Amino acid sequence: MEIKELMKADAAEVESALLGYVGETDPEFGVIFDAMRYSLMAGGKRLRPFLTLEFARLAAAENGSDADEAYGRAMPYACAVEMIHTYSLIHDDLPCMDNDDLRRGKPTSHKVFGYANALLAGDALLTKAFETAAGNELASPGQNCRAVRLMAECAGASGMVGGQVLDLEGESTRFGFETLKRLQSLKTGELIRCASLLGCIAGGASERLEKAAVEYSMGIGRAFQIEDDILDVTGSTETLGKPVGSDAESHKTTFLSFMTIPEARAYAKELTSRAVGAISGFPGSEALAALAESLLSRNN
Amino acid sequence: MEIKELMKADAAEVESALLGYVGETDPEFGVIFDAMRYSLMAGGKRLRPFLTLEFARLAAAENGSDADEAYGRAMPYACAVEMIHTYSLIHDDLPCMDNDDLRRGKPTSHKVFGYANALLAGDALLTKAFETAAGNELASPGQNCRAVRLMAECAGASGMVGGQVLDLEGESTRFGFETLKRLQSLKTGELIRCASLLGCIAGGASERLEKAAVEYSMGIGRAFQIEDDILDVTGSTETLGKPVGSDAESHKTTFLSFMTIPEARAYAKELTSRAVGAISGFPGSEALAALAESLLSRNN
């Protein structure tokens, strides 16, 4: 199967599972479930769930267990990490943060539901993520506790939120290359690492595979961010589904503050090669390798 | 020990434990940990942690296990529920929500750290709460998973956040007594119920005690809200630590929309009696009974 088809197939499974978590609307809370679902079902690549599901399969291939079972066991974790990603987008888009009107080609949550309801929809999705992981009935309580702790560490003050704080400071302060890399590792990288490791937990991966998953994730995470920075300059609002040129407008430090576009492309390619190298020794890693390569040529 | 002294003793233990979770500041994330600590350590009654700790003791008395061990095992859960409570206050105070400048006699988080950092500090505390409960090393993974799920259910879209959404609607819509009770049960009651049940989980309570804990919590939760509504009319900014008269100003439906102050006081007293009655059959329930009574005569 081509990587794009595999991603579509996984995304369809994920979206069906997500609807199981936020599909029903108690009319008495109408707007909150509507707002959660609006952002959660707005499409997107479902990159993080893909990592969770495919690392679970890879772990099953490694330890000779049933790949379909590992995939099923990973699904609640895949949904949980997507809920955290979606909450972070809703809060990032709020007027007090990036003040964005458009996301994935649609009006942002606060444009549709109002500022307070968007704030609360983000809160509710973050909360639901932990409920979903802790309530994974196909995994053991020990696995679920590890999943919850990992998610919280990656998403919290020393992880994604810490990166968002640094990012805010970046709007007024100019900082160096090392700080930018650290900021990016926190803001984007940590949740990508989380997604991959959640798959490892669900699949019962060896320490060796977990270590490879971390290396792979750090590589594709940074390459992903570099591509984002390039697309903000070279992309179009139509294909991106959000306004371009916003980094320059807000005087943000990006990878392009330190290198030209061809240099950035070469750097992303090198990071991708290293990421692919990290998992290449594991039988069945072709899908994850293809994913890494495909991210280099994305246009949204 | 008098109830006030017991509450102070428990609060001191809780504050020391909370500092263990958010006390250290990695200078690279300076402001986020500062903001989390600012709100978390701003004092308050520590009512919810008290419920967790005392229900753990009550459960130990019930099943003949060591009360001190149950208390220690309940402490991470007590801290977790206080983190959720604090996050909800930070977000509630934001300009897009209640737009409050004062909380516990101090400027609110966004007044000190700015809008975006206050938002993120709330997000980080909510996240940390789940990390703290899932990482409780004195309890089993099964207990921790149950704690995380309970917290998420009580705090999420069908719980506290759902109540906040209804509360927002209440600013523009007038609603009836049944809806007000439902709103209050969600917005305040659910986290109080959560706190009590977390203690039951930590202490290994029987189903009978859990049921009593729920009844007790619903009673004191509603009585607590009624007192809040009364204090908003009769209190002073000085003792309350926040502006009075804000309900009337924002035309909110409160218990005083349906009854006079003496009637409301009588109703709160009746609810308190029922709450005390629910736990009176359990040896060692005197502290929780005294707490319920003390909430009737509070001035902040």
Side-chain angles (χ1 to χ4, degrees):
Chain A
M1 210 189 289
E2 288 285 318
I3 179 65
K4 281 193 181 167
E5 284 166 42
L6 181 61
M7 284 193 82
K8 268 190 198 161
D10 276 7
E13 296 284 340
V14 167
E15 284 169 17
S16 158
L18 285 173
L19 268 182
Y21 292 115
V22 300
E24 280 179 52
T25 295
D26 181 335
E28 294 230 39
F29 311 105
V31 74
I32 184 71
F33 283 100
D34 287 349
M36 290 164 79
R37 201 164 45 235
Y38 176 82
S39 295
L40 202 52
M41 305 312 291
K45 289 175 285 294
R46 311 297 188 190
L47 169 64
R48 291 156 196 79
F50 182 85
L51 292 170
T52 304
L53 296 171
E54 295 306 324
F55 267 106
R57 275 184 171 145
L58 195 55
E62 184 197 28
N63 61 31
S65 63
D66 188 292
D68 287 345
E69 276 180 27
Y71 187 91
R73 199 159 50 238
M75 187 57 81
Y77 297 163
C79 290
V81 79
E82 189 70 357
M83 289 175 197
I84 292 185
H85 176 55
T86 305
Y87 122 78
S88 77
L89 298 181
I90 296 175
H91 281 192
D92 257 349
D93 288 336
L94 286 175
C96 70
M97 299 280 288
D98 291 348
N99 195 19
D100 281 323
D101 295 349
L102 214 55
R103 165 77 66 184
R104 290 172 178 162
K106 294 171 72 178
T108 46
S109 180
H110 60 275
K111 285 280 157 187
V112 179
F113 298 97
Y115 203 150
N117 285 325
L119 169 73
L120 292 169
D123 291 345
L125 278 171
L126 175 59
T127 305
K128 190 77 189 174
F130 292 109
E131 185 182 339
T132 302
N136 184 354
E137 287 178 2
L138 299 170
S140 72
Q143 285 173 305
N144 291 347
C145 276
R146 216 190 134 204
V148 167
R149 292 178 72 174
L150 174 71
M151 284 160 52
E153 282 163 17
C154 292
S158 310
M160 185 176 71
V161 167
Q164 287 169 303
V165 171
L166 288 181
D167 202 27
L168 286 170
E169 288 175 13
E171 287 173 17
S172 50
T173 327
R174 217 164 164 70
F175 43 62
F177 190 51
E178 290 307 314
T179 306
L180 173 72
K181 283 195 286 187
R182 182 171 148 80
L183 183 164
Q184 178 280 317
S185 295
L186 293 169
K187 199 184 167 188
T188 324
E190 280 292 274
L191 205 59
I192 287 175
R193 182 172 73 88
C194 176
S196 301
L197 283 176
L198 285 173
C200 291
I201 293 172
S206 68
E207 266 189 50
R208 201 169 70 89
L209 178 52
E210 289 202 2
K211 202 164 158 272
V214 170
E215 269 185 67
Y216 169 88
S217 304
M218 284 170 62
I220 68 160
R222 187 164 300 159
F224 190 86
Q225 186 60 52
I226 294 168
E227 287 298 324
D228 247 15
D229 292 350
I230 294 172
L231 285 170
D232 191 69
V233 173
T234 65
S236 74
T237 300
E238 226 171 10
T239 53
L240 273 184
K242 60 183 179 183
V244 296
S246 61
D247 293 341
E249 202 183 305
S250 58
H251 304 287
K252 260 194 189 170
T253 308
T254 76
F255 281 96
L256 298 181
S257 311
F258 303 100
M259 51 185 86
T260 63
I261 290 180
E263 282 168 350
R265 288 211 166 109
Y267 184 34
K269 207 172 168 188
E270 184 203 321
L271 289 164
T272 302
S273 298
R274 270 193 264 161
V276 171
I279 54 163
S280 62
F282 295 89
S285 64
E286 295 77 14
L288 287 160
L291 170 74
E293 300 290 351
S294 77
L295 292 176
L296 282 180
S297 54
R298 68 195 174 96
N299 62 359
N300 65 32
Chain B
M1 208 188 287
E2 286 285 317
I3 180 66
K4 281 194 181 165
E5 286 166 42
L6 180 61
M7 284 194 81
K8 268 191 197 160
D10 277 6
E13 296 284 340
V14 167
E15 283 169 17
S16 157
L18 285 173
L19 269 182
Y21 292 114
V22 299
E24 278 179 54
T25 296
D26 182 333
E28 294 229 41
F29 311 103
V31 75
I32 185 72
F33 284 101
D34 288 350
M36 289 164 79
R37 202 165 44 235
Y38 175 82
S39 296
L40 203 52
M41 305 312 289
K45 290 174 286 291
R46 311 297 186 190
L47 169 64
R48 290 155 196 81
F50 182 85
L51 292 171
T52 304
L53 296 171
E54 295 307 323
F55 267 105
R57 275 183 171 146
L58 196 54
E62 185 197 28
N63 59 32
S65 63
D66 189 293
D68 288 345
E69 276 180 27
Y71 187 90
R73 198 159 52 238
M75 187 57 81
Y77 297 163
C79 290
V81 78
E82 190 69 357
M83 289 175 196
I84 292 186
H85 176 56
T86 305
Y87 122 78
S88 78
L89 299 181
I90 296 174
H91 281 192
D92 257 349
D93 287 337
L94 287 176
C96 70
M97 298 278 289
D98 291 349
N99 194 19
D100 279 323
D101 295 350
L102 214 55
R103 166 75 67 182
R104 291 169 177 163
K106 294 171 73 177
T108 45
S109 181
H110 62 274
K111 285 280 156 187
V112 179
F113 298 98
Y115 204 150
N117 285 324
L119 169 73
L120 292 169
D123 291 345
L125 278 171
L126 175 59
T127 305
K128 190 77 188 172
F130 293 109
E131 185 181 339
T132 302
N136 184 354
E137 288 178 3
L138 299 171
S140 71
Q143 284 173 306
N144 292 347
C145 275
R146 214 189 136 204
V148 167
R149 293 178 71 174
L150 175 72
M151 284 160 52
E153 282 163 15
C154 292
S158 311
M160 185 176 71
V161 168
Q164 287 168 304
V165 172
L166 288 182
D167 203 26
L168 286 170
E169 287 176 13
E171 286 172 18
S172 51
T173 326
R174 211 153 174 76
F175 42 61
F177 190 51
E178 290 308 313
T179 306
L180 174 71
K181 283 196 286 186
R182 182 171 148 83
L183 183 163
Q184 176 280 318
S185 295
L186 293 169
K187 198 183 167 188
T188 324
E190 280 292 273
L191 204 59
I192 287 176
R193 182 172 73 90
C194 175
S196 301
L197 284 176
L198 285 173
C200 291
I201 293 172
S206 67
E207 265 188 50
R208 200 169 71 90
L209 179 51
E210 288 202 2
K211 202 164 159 270
V214 170
E215 269 185 66
Y216 169 88
S217 303
M218 283 170 62
I220 68 160
R222 185 164 303 160
F224 190 86
Q225 186 60 52
I226 294 168
E227 287 299 324
D228 247 16
D229 292 350
I230 295 172
L231 285 170
D232 191 69
V233 174
T234 64
S236 75
T237 301
E238 225 170 12
T239 52
L240 274 185
K242 61 184 179 184
V244 295
S246 61
D247 293 339
E249 203 183 306
S250 57
H251 303 288
K252 261 194 189 171
T253 308
T254 76
F255 281 97
L256 298 180
S257 312
F258 303 99
M259 51 185 85
T260 65
I261 290 180
E263 283 168 351
R265 287 210 167 109
Y267 183 34
K269 207 171 166 187
E270 184 203 320
L271 289 164
T272 301
S273 298
R274 271 192 263 160
V276 171
I279 54 163
S280 62
F282 295 89
S285 64
E286 295 77 15
L288 287 160
L291 169 74
E293 300 289 351
S294 78
L295 292 176
L296 281 180
S297 54
R298 68 196 173 94
N299 62 0
N300 65 32

